[in-house]
Amino acid sequence: MTLKSIFISTGEVSGDLQGALLIEALKRQGTAAGLELEIVALGGDQMAQAGAKLLDNTTSIGSVGILESLPFVLPTLKVQGRAKQYLRQQTPDLVVLIDYMGPNLSIGSFLKRELPQVPVVYYIAPQEWVWSISKRNTRMIVEISDRMLAIFPEEARYFVEKGASVTWVGHPLVDRMESSPSREEARATLGIAPEQSAIALLPASRQQEIKYLMPVVFEAAKQLQSQLLDTEQTRQVSQSKGKWLKESQADSPLFWIPLSLEAYRHPIEEAVKRYGLQAKVVAGQTKEILAAADLAITKSGTVNLELALLDVPQVVFYRVNPFTYWLARTFLKFSIPFMSPPNLVVMRSIVPELLQEQATPENIVRESLELLFNQERRQQTLKDYQEMRQLLGEVGVCDRAAKEIFQLIS
């Protein structure tokens, strides 16, 4: 078998997931083509489990925002230095960049300057096509990429217009969700009775989100729990809305919280106690929790698409440091049409988004109750999810991406 080496660079929990799915496809395609692959990566545990040798773990040094990124500047620079030293000494046959804009633009620029013979594939480009502040970043992405593999139709269109060589492969979550359990299977695994209610809470996959998002979502959960589980309120809700909650639910978890990183277990469990939530924190069963839920209250991110593909109504919210938000709006003229992937796919609002000052516990509770009890609203959400699904491509996304990559090294 012919030996080929591939270097993959990504960061954060979502990048680790996408990288792992790609690695699995590369291994499948490589075996079929008679290639033995050596994959070295900046990523996380999921990529390591998929078969990559980790040069550094980058899942805990990601951030969104200006002030928020400052604590991670030095750690990121150190990782970048080690990566560039490795690339000089062990030059790979190809490099794949996944999202992670700042660090990956640095690596891509380094490669084009010092190792121009190494093909560079940008898979899942940063969302410059949504919120481009600087034409320079778009230009750099195009210049460092020998091939771009787009996951959204609008992403492909944007970068084609900017002069990039782009192939739309579809979204990798289409592949991942093929193995998701049904609602019934997920509930059986978690021990949730068919008649019990379950709400998924997804407050944090970055350290900064523990500070800025978790207090908001947990206060909303506290208010929601008070309304839904109070005996008198439950009786009133049952009479007016249809019996959604059983009074026996008072002794069972109402909220289910999947851990994105084990490091976040302690602050999350402490907050659960502090807010008096009937919640269960679970590691390693994210797909089961999502599939079992009646509703999700979730930060903006890749998980929004997972929920949509599972037909789970959701309330999406996000907050950053107030100064970061003011600076972005005032001086950088930062604006986005939407922040959650389901809305970005169809370029219209199909899930409620609450950003910054709108992301209050009261607003989250209001939207949550609407999605729980307004059957017309729930049905419209499910109908919109079907429209979104048609724009994500057919199953086989990761294999299509792997084939495109092998075209550049065969």
Side-chain angles (χ1 to χ4, degrees):
M1 298 181 75
T2 304
L3 177 63
K4 295 290 183 179
S5 60
I6 297 176
F7 182 82
I8 301 176
S9 172
T10 190
E12 302 185 317
V13 173
S14 61
D16 183 34
L17 168 62
Q18 313 296 11
L21 294 173
L22 179 63
I23 289 167
E24 290 170 357
L26 288 169
K27 294 281 188 179
R28 286 194 300 270
Q29 296 290 325
T31 299
L35 298 176
E36 181 182 350
L37 296 182
E38 179 185 58
I39 299 177
V40 177
L42 299 178
D45 293 341
Q46 293 182 87
M47 292 172 68
Q49 291 169 10
K53 176 184 176 183
L54 285 191
L55 191 62
D56 264 298
N57 193 313
T58 55
T59 56
S60 62
I61 58 174
S63 62
V64 172
I66 300 168
L67 294 181
E68 293 86 344
S69 66
L70 294 179
F72 302 107
V73 170
L74 187 57
T76 299
L77 288 175
K78 288 181 178 178
V79 169
Q80 291 287 292
R82 287 193 288 270
K84 291 172 184 177
Q85 182 179 14
Y86 170 83
L87 290 168
R88 286 191 190 98
Q89 296 174 349
Q90 305 288 333
T91 303
D93 293 298
L94 180 137
V95 171
V96 179
L97 307 176
I98 302 176
D99 200 358
Y100 206 37
M101 184 170 73
N104 276 345
L105 288 185
S106 176
I107 286 180
S109 298
F110 163 82
L111 288 165
K112 289 305 173 187
R113 183 175 63 251
E114 298 196 24
L115 300 168
Q117 76 277 14
V118 178
V120 175
V121 175
Y122 219 129
Y123 175 52
I124 312 179
Q127 291 187 342
E128 282 287 297
W129 57 279
V130 179
W131 42 256
S132 180
I133 298 174
S134 167
K135 293 181 180 178
R136 176 177 176 272
N137 287 339
T138 295
R139 186 172 65 252
M140 286 182 67
I141 291 170
V142 173
E143 288 176 351
I144 66 176
S145 305
D146 294 288
R147 183 76 53 82
M148 297 186 70
L149 303 180
I151 62 173
F152 295 110
E154 281 296 307
E155 173 194 358
R157 182 194 61 77
Y158 176 86
F159 284 108
V160 165
E161 289 181 354
K162 302 302 179 183
S165 172
V166 184
T167 300
W168 176 58
V169 294
H171 202 290
L173 286 184
V174 172
D175 291 354
R176 172 175 163 80
M177 303 315 286
E178 280 288 289
S179 62
S180 292
S182 67
R183 173 185 167 85
E184 293 72 23
E185 291 169 339
R187 285 183 162 238
T189 299
L190 296 170
I192 304 174
E195 72 277 5
Q196 285 187 339
S197 304
I199 298 174
L201 299 182
L202 297 110
S205 63
R206 302 181 180 96
Q207 183 62 46
Q208 72 186 72
E209 292 164 352
I210 296 289
K211 178 179 180 180
Y212 293 113
L213 304 188
M214 196 166 69
V216 178
V217 72
F218 278 16
E219 177 59 32
K222 180 181 178 181
Q223 294 180 20
L224 195 58
Q225 176 177 282
S226 177
Q227 292 195 48
L228 296 176
L229 295 187
D230 177 79
T231 303
E232 183 60 29
Q233 183 69 23
T234 299
R235 189 176 298 113
Q236 293 172 3
V237 168
S238 298
Q239 292 170 354
S240 62
K241 306 283 188 174
K243 193 166 182 60
W244 182 72
L245 286 167
K246 303 290 184 182
E247 290 187 12
S248 61
Q249 177 97 43
D251 298 321
S252 304
L254 171 62
F255 301 106
W256 294 77
I257 307 171
L259 272 184
S260 57
L261 290 175
E262 187 61 34
Y264 301 154
R265 178 184 291 277
H266 179 71
I268 288 176
E269 289 183 339
E270 286 294 307
V272 165
K273 293 178 184 177
R274 188 164 63 251
Y275 284 89
L277 299 183
Q278 292 179 202
K280 187 169 184 177
V281 181
V282 182
Q285 292 183 302
T286 299
K287 285 199 291 187
E288 286 78 8
I289 291 175
L290 301 187
D294 297 294
L295 172 78
I297 301 174
T298 172
K299 74 183 198 69
S300 176
T302 302
V303 71
N304 304 152
L305 275 182
E306 294 184 74
L307 289 161
L309 289 169
L310 289 167
D311 282 339
V312 177
Q314 58 188 298
V315 178
V316 179
F317 71 101
Y318 208 81
R319 278 188 172 188
V320 293
N321 182 291
F323 180 73
T324 292
Y325 186 73
W326 174 80
L327 189 64
R329 293 295 296 269
T330 305
F331 292 101
L332 300 179
K333 306 301 180 184
F334 180 82
S335 65
I336 55 175
F338 303 105
M339 63 177 174
S340 63
N343 292 345
L344 288 171
V345 173
V346 298
M347 293 306 287
R348 63 183 179 85
S349 181
I350 65 174
V351 300
E353 295 183 353
L354 301 170
L355 178 62
Q356 205 62 17
E357 66 270 8
Q358 295 300 315
T360 64
E362 293 73 22
N363 285 343
I364 292 172
V365 170
R366 187 191 69 250
E367 294 287 353
S368 297
L369 291 173
E370 180 76 6
L371 286 171
L372 285 171
F373 297 124
N374 186 327
Q375 290 305 309
E376 183 178 346
R377 177 82 177 274
R378 283 182 72 88
Q379 290 306 311
Q380 183 60 52
T381 297
L382 300 183
K383 181 179 177 182
D384 290 338
Y385 281 169
Q386 291 305 308
E387 177 187 348
M388 179 213 74
R389 172 66 182 79
Q390 300 305 311
L391 296 173
L392 294 180
E394 299 299 323
V395 173
V397 172
C398 296
D399 283 316
R400 290 194 291 274
K403 287 178 181 177
E404 290 285 334
I405 288 169
F406 282 129
Q407 285 182 9
L408 296 178
I409 59 174
S410 59

